[in-house]
């Protein structure tokens, strides 16, 4: 008599998906008013897809929050709107321009819009009473994010103390809060850039087309290829030319660089990512190049 044994082992992607969905459900059950921070980039889109699967066939039971810098790529905003329309989720937009007009943050001509996101985000969290905010940060992206736990405690000022984090033994999460505090939650913390792209391929997830190879007028600044637009004109000595490029990450158009690439499909991007030795933030985010601890400094102040 032939005996058969069911193989219940999960693939790496299945394990990561299961862990992330477990975290999302735990937060929805434990916290009074969670929100999902959504930039329109690949990581936040994957996180939104995980939230969709976590509660299907019901709708996602919390809103999504975008901090609008006024300097976002139009292709990213178009993709965001299609996701919002398809899922029927509530979109909360925290505008930096509105925050400046209300005196929440101050534009001094020197501080980047990326840094002005901090005060704008903290004000939106306080105004809406959000007690937990999902973020798409991953430990492989940057040194400061590698220090962060899945449940990242923020004090009443929205600040993060890397030396005062709660243990997460056996995937048990401590979500207790005092008045005015909140949690940042990172469901895809254990994913890598390659995992994200493999999941996008498997799930057939729609992402902004700037992630794929295309022709664009770019110029070199600070060792990166930057987009030439009215929002980001060439400075003295900089010369724009058309090249075949793609973006590895999406953000402020004045600080987000692209890379030369002919990868025009998800499968080609996976092949390219598999041999890359520099993370997407390290290669193309100008806001992380100001200092060795640029990201950690911003996170201590309340950044994503």
């Amino acid at each position: 008599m032939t005996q058969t044994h069911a193989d219940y082992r999960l693939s790496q992607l299945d394990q990561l998906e299961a862990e992330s969905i477990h975290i999302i459900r735990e937060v929805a059950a434990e916290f009074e008013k969670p929100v999902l921070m959504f930039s329109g980039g690949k990581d936040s889109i994957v996180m939104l897809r995980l939230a969709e699967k976590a509660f299907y066939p019901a709708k996602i039971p919390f809103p999504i929050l975008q901090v609008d810098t006024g300097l976002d790529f139009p292709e990213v905003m178009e993709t965001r709107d299609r996701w919002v329309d398809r899922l029927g989720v509530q979109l909360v937009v925290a505008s930096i321009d509105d925050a400046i007009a209300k005196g929440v943050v101050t534009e001094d001509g020197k501080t980047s819009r990326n840094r002005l996101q901090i005060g704008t985000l903290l004000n939106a969290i306080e105004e809406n009473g959000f007690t937990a905010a999902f973020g798409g940060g991953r430990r492989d992206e940057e040194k400061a994010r590698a220090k962060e736990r899945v449940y990242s405690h923020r004090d009443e000022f929205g600040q993060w103390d890397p030396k005062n984090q709660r243990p997460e033994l056996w995937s048990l999460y401590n979500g207790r809060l005092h008045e005015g505090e909140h949690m940042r939650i990172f469901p895809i913390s254990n994913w890598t850039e390659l995992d994200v792209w493999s999941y996008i391929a498997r799930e057939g997830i729609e992402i902004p087309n700037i992630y794929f190879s295309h022709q664009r007028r770019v110029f070199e600044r600070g060792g990166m290829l930057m987009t030439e637009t009215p929002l980001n004109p060439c400075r003295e000595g900089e010369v724009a030319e058309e090249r075949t490029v793609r973006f590895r990450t999406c953000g402020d158009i004045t600080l987000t660089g692209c890379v030369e690439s002919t990868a025009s499909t998800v499968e080609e991007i996976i092949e390219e990512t598999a041999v890359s030795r520099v993370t997407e933030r390290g290669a193309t985010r100008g806001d992380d190049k100001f200092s060795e601890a640029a990201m950690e400094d911003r996170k201590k102040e309340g950044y994503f």
Side-chain angles (χ1 to χ4, degrees), residues 266-300:
V266 174
E267 289 70 27
E268 289 173 347
I269 291 174
I270 289 173
E271 291 178 9
E272 192 177 86
T273 304
V275 298
S276 175
R277 291 296 176 265
V278 181
T279 70
E280 65 266 49
R281 291 200 71 96
T284 63
R285 291 298 286 267
D287 43 323
D288 289 339
K289 294 180 179 291
F290 294 130
S291 73
E292 279 284 319
M295 169 66 85
E296 183 161 334
D297 291 342
R298 295 201 309 280
K299 289 185 77 65
K300 287 179 180 178

Side-chain angles (χ1 to χ4, degrees), residues 45 74-83 206-209:
I45 287 177
E75 298 93 335
V76 174
M77 296 299 96
E78 291 165 7
T79 304
R80 178 205 68 184
D81 292 341
R82 285 194 293 272
W83 272 90
E206 180 194 5
I207 56 173
N209 57 22

Side-chain angles (χ1 to χ4, degrees), residues 187-206:
I188 62 170
S189 186
N190 292 326
W191 297 48
T192 65
E193 183 183 7
L194 189 58
D195 292 327
V196 169
W197 281 111
S198 298
Y199 193 72
I200 288 170
R202 191 185 82 173
E203 299 289 307
I205 295 172
E206 180 194 5

Side-chain angles (χ1 to χ4, degrees), residues 59-125:
K59 288 188 176 182
I60 297 172
F62 42 75
I64 64 175
L65 169 64
Q66 185 219 349
V67 180
D68 181 10
T69 65
L71 299 172
D72 295 301
F73 290 89
E75 298 93 335
V76 174
M77 296 299 96
E78 291 165 7
T79 304
R80 178 205 68 184
D81 292 341
R82 285 194 293 272
W83 272 90
V84 169
D85 290 343
R86 183 177 71 81
L87 295 179
V89 293
Q90 177 190 356
L91 172 64
V92 178
V93 177
S95 166
I96 288 181
D97 287 327
D98 290 346
I100 292 170
K102 294 176 182 177
V104 174
V105 295
T106 303
E107 189 167 40
D108 56 11
K110 299 177 183 178
T111 305
S112 73
R113 284 285 175 114
N114 185 277
R115 202 168 190 93
L116 294 180
Q117 286 181 297
I118 298 171
T120 306
L121 170 63
L122 294 178
N123 182 68
I125 289 174

Side-chain angles (χ1 to χ4, degrees), residues 23 27 31 35 37 65 117-123 125 130-136 145 148-155 157-160 165 168 177 181-187 298-304:
I23 292 166
V27 171
F31 290 89
V35 67
M37 294 189 290
L65 169 64
Q117 286 181 297
I118 298 171
T120 306
L121 170 63
L122 294 178
N123 182 68
I125 289 174
F130 296 130
T131 53
F134 292 102
R145 286 188 164 162
E148 201 148 27
R149 304 286 165 82
V150 173
Y151 273 36
S152 178
H153 174 265
R154 304 300 169 105
D155 64 21
F157 301 106
Q159 298 174 327
W160 170 66
Q165 298 189 84
E168 292 181 343
L177 296 173
E181 298 176 342
H182 72 276
M183 283 285 184
R184 302 288 173 84
I185 312 293
F186 299 101
R298 295 201 309 280
K299 289 185 77 65
K300 287 179 180 178
E301 296 173 17
Y303 189 69
F304 305 166

